[in-house]
Amino acid sequence: MSRFTAGDHVCVAFDGGDELLEAVADSARCALENGEKAVCYTAQFLPLAVEATLEASDLRMRAGLDSGQVVIASVHDAHLVTGQFDPERTITAWREKIGQARQDGFAGIRVIADMSWAADIAPARVNRLAWYEAQLNRVFAAGFATVLCMYDRRLFTQAQLNAYAPAHTASARAESGVLRQLRIAHTTDPRGLRLSGEADLATAVAVEAVLAGLPEDVPGDGPLVIDLSGLAFADVGTITSLVRTARRNPGMRFASPTPLVGRMLEMVGEFEGVRVNL
Amino acid sequence: MSANPFAHPALFYRTPAGYADQLGRFIHGALEGGHPVAVAVPKPNLDLLREHVGPGAAREVQWIDMFEAGRNPGRIIPMVLLATARAHPGRRAHIIGEPIWAGRTQAEYPACAQHEALINDAFAGRDAIIVCPYDESALEPSVLADALHTHPTLTDAGRTWTSPGYDVQAWRRFNPPLGDPPEHALRVDVADNSDLVLVRKFATELYAACGMPGELTSRLVQAVSEVATNTVVHGDNGGRVSLWFEQRALVAQVDSEGGMPALSGRIPPADGGPGYGLIVANVLCDLVCVHFGESATAVRMWVSSPP
């Protein structure tokens, strides 16, 4: 849990309630140790049941629950406020909750979202959920929230998971740890974005959503800079998204890519007829 | 047939003097006609021609060392031939392309002949002429016979006539099965997009253990990741990646179910579409061999240290 930091938006595939409860306890412990707020939106369990498990796992939990540093809520307080899934409204609610945690003086906010409620949404709405998960990266790229979306493998098909996972910046399997990870962070000076880690098909939707959110997601009017110094790998799909973002934002610059990433940007830029500023 | 403005003649030569004379005439004729000219041939022939046409004409021509640009024949169409055509929109590009020379290895040759054949498909309908010189004094008779299959016409830079052996589907002749990777190869199954990071991790570790320079490793890791990505996007059942090491070369093979168009990796995608993956592999690798099967595709990639 501690390996995840602010800005991470992780798709976690898990098997069964025990793994879910373990993740909640882990997250809360981590938050308590770091002065962060911990929030769990539960669907499989009643909030009271989760609280009881937390208390049993760690003596400090009761105090955390009482003070409001640890909050266990029903998914109806987050994703299903209006009784049905309303992505735009839910995204606004995320912004408000993160803003409130900042105001309350927390160092960050750690969220565990039990996505079980979404398992039986109509096939026509699957794309809607993927869109929602992708748009959340624009919120989380501000770098305050650490969000784990928990997908129960007993409830979701592999095809569904394949559709949702690339809308996150990382995927993990509860039993074996992180499979790969990208970090996406908005920057203010210079104005733009920092990508680090590895970007491939498994992060494509998240990257595309954050790139499409430029420039409005970063305040100011200076030229955009995409800091690639920490980007160890980018597949050509990611490179193409970057080049097309440069086309939409004249004057945008890519800073410090590895030699290979730089070479790929120049190559795709030439194919796409886009002048790439390195 | 006559509606196709594309011409792709082979030119057989025996001596440097004959080479310079015939291709020099081609270059001068093209320049006099106001056409853009690019020459992509092995370095010694490049120097010979540049000397022969004189400094005035040499300045008008784009000179490309085919030893470098065409080391992997798979990159010649996207990065040399189409790039030249793209640089001169609306004009008839005149190109000399010599991808086959006596030093080509057994592993390289089928890819070279496949490339020659696919030029006909890649350039069909495009306004361009690509002349391919073949060294009669040094190449095997079978190689010269293959050139008759892959070129619709033959030329001596004066006269042009129909090739007696031309086969419109010639690429199928140069589509040998790649065979199985060696027993000791490291195998990684790719079922969905979360497996790609594992492919890169295993490849990086294996190749690093071979003691090859990191630059070579990162090129092949990129290439194999792109081709494995294709199996997730296009393949029905994912694919299998095999990784191994040969003398002075890192090797990767990706086997997948499902066929693939023979021009994959040769033509950049139309705007908005995907399709750069195999082009990247062609650009970054020193050799890429593709077997296009009816219901399966195999791509083998080499990155080697300089001799």
Side-chain angles (χ1 to χ4, degrees):
Chain A
M1 188 59 56
S2 52
R3 64 184 168 232
F4 298 120
T5 64
D8 286 341
H9 177 213
V10 189
C11 176
V12 184
F14 71 101
D15 298 285
D18 287 351
E19 285 185 6
L20 177 62
L21 291 172
E22 213 168 293
V24 177
D26 243 20
S27 174
R29 224 177 352 257
C30 207
L32 286 176
E33 277 158 18
N34 294 302
E36 299 161 317
K37 187 173 173 110
V39 180
C40 166
Y41 296 109
T42 170
Q44 291 196 13
F45 300 100
L46 290 172
L48 277 177
V50 178
E51 286 187 16
T53 321
L54 279 185
E55 279 186 75
S57 77
D58 193 316
L59 289 173
R60 294 168 299 174
M61 289 296 174
R62 188 66 256 167
L65 287 161
D66 288 343
S67 71
Q69 187 173 359
V70 179
V71 175
I72 311 297
S74 159
V75 73
H76 290 276
D77 297 330
H79 306 83
L80 304 172
V81 193
T82 56
Q84 61 174 332
F85 180 46
D86 179 345
E88 281 87 358
R89 191 167 167 163
T90 310
I91 291 166
T92 306
W94 276 102
R95 289 190 193 277
E96 289 165 5
K97 286 196 171 86
I98 290 170
Q100 187 61 51
R102 271 187 200 273
Q103 235 173 47
D104 293 345
F106 289 109
I109 181 167
R110 284 185 181 266
V111 182
I112 298 274
D114 174 6
M115 300 301 289
S116 303
W117 60 272
D120 49 5
I121 60 174
R125 298 192 74 87
V126 165
N127 288 339
R128 201 81 183 111
L129 182 62
W131 177 86
Y132 159 80
E133 288 279 25
Q135 291 303 308
L136 283 181
N137 296 292
R138 297 172 58 184
V139 179
F140 302 151
F144 189 75
T146 309
V147 180
L148 274 61
C149 300
M150 308 289 296
Y151 286 87
D152 191 332
R153 262 195 292 241
R154 298 169 310 174
L155 303 175
F156 291 90
T157 64
Q158 189 60 43
Q160 281 175 312
L161 289 178
N162 287 348
Y164 299 142
H168 299 73
T169 59
S171 289
R173 291 174 185 163
E175 77 282 5
S176 60
V178 188
L179 284 176
R180 70 47 224 169
Q181 191 157 350
L182 177 70
R183 290 222 158 92
I184 308 177
H186 287 140
T187 56
T188 50
D189 187 22
R191 180 178 176 239
L193 206 61
R194 183 169 52 242
L195 297 180
S196 42
E198 299 187 33
D200 64 16
L201 191 61
T203 56
V205 180
V207 169
E208 185 59 42
V210 175
L211 289 174
L214 295 178
E216 58 264 38
D217 289 348
V218 282
D221 52 10
L224 292 171
V225 176
I226 311 288
D227 179 353
L228 301 175
S229 57
L231 190 63
F233 177 86
D235 74 344
V236 74
T238 303
I239 296 285
T240 306
S241 294
L242 289 170
V243 167
R244 290 175 184 171
T245 306
R247 172 157 56 204
R248 288 194 301 271
N249 296 276
M252 197 183 94
R253 192 168 63 82
F254 297 107
S256 314
T258 66
L260 192 49
V261 169
R263 184 176 172 185
M264 302 261 298
L265 283 167
E266 281 176 337
M267 183 179 81
V268 174
E270 198 174 318
F271 281 134
E272 298 268 318
V274 178
R275 193 196 152 91
V276 170
N277 302 312
L278 295 179
Chain B
M1 288 292 285
S2 59
N4 187 356
F6 176 58
H8 181 210
L11 181 149
F12 296 98
Y13 67 94
R14 288 176 188 283
T15 63
Y19 186 88
D21 173 58
Q22 289 181 304
L23 292 168
R25 267 189 285 142
F26 174 80
I27 293 170
H28 284 301
L31 291 176
E32 280 160 23
H35 303 294
V37 179
V39 177
V41 300
K43 186 74 166 58
N45 285 348
L46 199 72
D47 293 340
L48 173 70
L49 268 184
R50 191 157 27 193
E51 183 78 12
H52 179 82
V53 297
R59 271 194 297 275
E60 303 292 310
V61 173
Q62 188 190 355
W63 302 95
I64 300 159
D65 177 5
M66 198 62 127
F67 279 156
E68 286 285 326
R71 181 167 179 194
N72 171 22
R75 79 170 82 115
I76 299 174
I77 289 176
M79 302 307 282
V80 178
L81 303 180
L82 285 174
T84 301
R86 212 172 38 236
H88 306 282
R91 300 174 68 195
R92 182 168 172 80
H94 282 52
I95 304 171
I96 300 172
E98 186 171 3
I100 296 176
W101 52 83
R104 284 291 199 187
T105 66
Q106 264 186 346
E108 287 171 345
Y109 179 69
C112 293
Q114 194 185 58
H115 152 74
E116 281 280 40
L118 286 171
I119 287 178
N120 301 310
D121 301 82
F123 274 79
R126 291 178 203 261
D127 194 9
I129 174 166
I130 302 173
V131 179
C132 301
Y134 280 78
D135 185 351
E136 271 188 301
S137 70
L139 293 169
E140 297 287 331
S142 63
V143 170
L144 301 172
D146 287 344
L148 298 181
H149 297 313
T150 54
H151 293 79
T153 55
L154 308 175
T155 188
D156 60 8
R159 219 163 46 85
T160 297
W161 60 100
T162 303
S163 167
Y166 181 57
D167 175 357
V168 278
Q169 294 273 308
W171 68 267
R172 295 185 188 278
R173 295 172 181 260
F174 309 105
N175 188 32
L178 300 185
D180 294 327
E183 287 282 313
H184 64 269
L186 177 66
R187 289 171 171 80
V188 190
D189 286 329
V190 180
D192 60 57
N193 58 40
S194 68
D195 293 321
L196 298 169
V197 68
L198 294 177
V199 168
R200 294 195 296 275
K201 180 172 181 283
F202 290 141
T204 304
E205 286 171 4
L206 177 76
Y207 296 146
C210 296
M212 295 290 266
E215 191 270 334
L216 271 58
T217 296
S218 60
R219 275 198 281 140
L220 189 54
V221 168
Q222 181 89 39
V224 72
S225 184
E226 303 291 0
V227 177
T229 299
N230 285 348
T231 72
V232 177
V233 176
H234 304 296
D236 300 330
N237 292 303
R240 164 171 282 193
V241 173
S242 306
L243 308 160
W244 70 98
F245 179 72
E246 285 174 3
Q247 207 177 10
R248 293 203 344 264
L250 307 173
V251 196
Q253 180 164 325
V254 179
D255 288 278
S256 56
E257 289 179 35
M260 187 165 78
L263 283 176
S264 304
R266 315 277 173 163
I267 301 183
D271 198 42
Y276 286 120
L278 199 52
I279 291 183
V280 168
N282 270 330
V283 169
L284 296 181
C285 295
D286 296 311
L287 179 63
V288 176
C289 289
V290 185
H291 173 67
F292 301 95
E294 287 295 320
S295 58
T297 305
V299 181
R300 189 178 290 189
M301 297 159 272
W302 287 259
V303 168
S304 43
S305 57

